[in-house]
Amino acid sequence: EEGVEVWGTNDLLVNQEAQLDLRLCTFEGKTLAKTTLCVRMPANSSEKLHVVPPGWKERGGDYLRALFRDGRRTVAVNRFLLHEPKHSVFPSPRIGLRLAKIGPGSYRAALQSNVFALGVVVSSSREGVYFHDNFVDLDPGVEHEIQITTRLSSPVLRRSLTTHALNSSSGITRGKS
């Protein structure tokens, strides 16, 4: 049995050098194995960056998390489920949502989950609310920020927001703000 290939795509016209952080994780937040590599991506290309050894899969775990970082800036994060979603047992997440005003008509929503949350969407019961990123996976305990643009006041916006994850038992969870 071969390992899992990790590929990267650089669609920029310049070479990229960055750090690749690979982790074997459980849905509950345990890291069972990890490795960090310095990688170089040629301009305008795709290439294999690493092969995750087959032994990692034998340790258990639910998914691989690949984080591509250029210094302190996260360039990309991706997850690979080790089993098809229909064959996975996902825990039900508790998703928190903190809202902060960052300018006139501009807000930052910080999302966080206690367990892996698959396909989280933030929505508003009101019209005129625009999300700059609105469909994300959340790793346990890792905050993800989404920018929101609207003419609504902070209190009205807070009351209108809900989160939904594909693996939530109730379907809809009201985020804490």
Side-chain angles (χ1 to χ4, degrees):
E1 180 180 312
E2 295 182 23
V4 176
E5 293 181 356
V6 179
W7 283 73
T9 299
N10 177 6
D11 56 4
L12 300 175
L13 298 177
V14 294
N15 295 339
Q16 292 290 301
E17 290 187 23
Q19 190 174 8
L20 178 64
D21 178 47
L22 295 170
R23 294 173 185 254
L24 173 65
C25 304
T26 67
F27 291 143
E28 291 76 20
K30 276 188 175 178
T31 297
L32 302 176
K34 66 181 176 178
T35 189
T36 302
L37 311 162
C38 290
V39 295
R40 185 175 183 276
M41 293 282 306
N44 202 28
S45 67
S46 294
E47 68 177 41
K48 185 177 5 176
L49 302 176
H50 185 68
V51 176
V52 176
W56 273 32
K57 211 172 174 184
E58 295 166 8
R59 297 181 188 193
D62 300 302
Y63 69 103
L64 292 171
R65 179 176 181 260
L67 181 75
F68 194 72
R69 191 184 326 247
D70 179 10
R72 297 183 123 186
R73 182 178 70 99
T74 297
V75 177
V77 63
N78 210 332
R79 293 152 196 92
F80 175 76
L81 298 178
L82 296 174
H83 308 284
E84 290 184 62
K86 67 181 181 179
H87 298 301
S88 296
V89 179
F90 292 97
S92 188
R94 287 191 315 274
I95 299 170
L97 186 152
R98 285 184 299 108
L99 190 65
K101 188 168 188 162
I102 56 175
S106 186
Y107 296 86
R108 182 179 304 121
L111 300 171
Q112 194 169 11
S113 178
N114 62 322
V115 295
F116 179 77
L118 179 67
V120 176
V121 64
V122 182
S123 59
S124 173
S125 59
R126 304 291 298 261
E127 290 184 20
V129 179
Y130 305 97
F131 301 92
H132 295 241
D133 185 11
N134 196 23
F135 194 76
V136 298
D137 295 330
L138 296 176
D139 295 301
V142 178
E143 192 171 272
H144 183 84
E145 293 183 350
I146 295 175
Q147 190 172 343
I148 302 172
T149 305
T150 184
R151 292 184 179 179
L152 297 176
S153 68
S154 295
V156 172
L157 178 61
R158 274 191 182 94
R159 286 190 301 273
S160 78
L161 295 177
T162 56
T163 58
H164 172 76
L166 293 177
N167 60 313
S168 64
S169 58
S170 63
I172 302 283
T173 57
R174 177 143 325 256
K176 298 176 185 172
S177 53

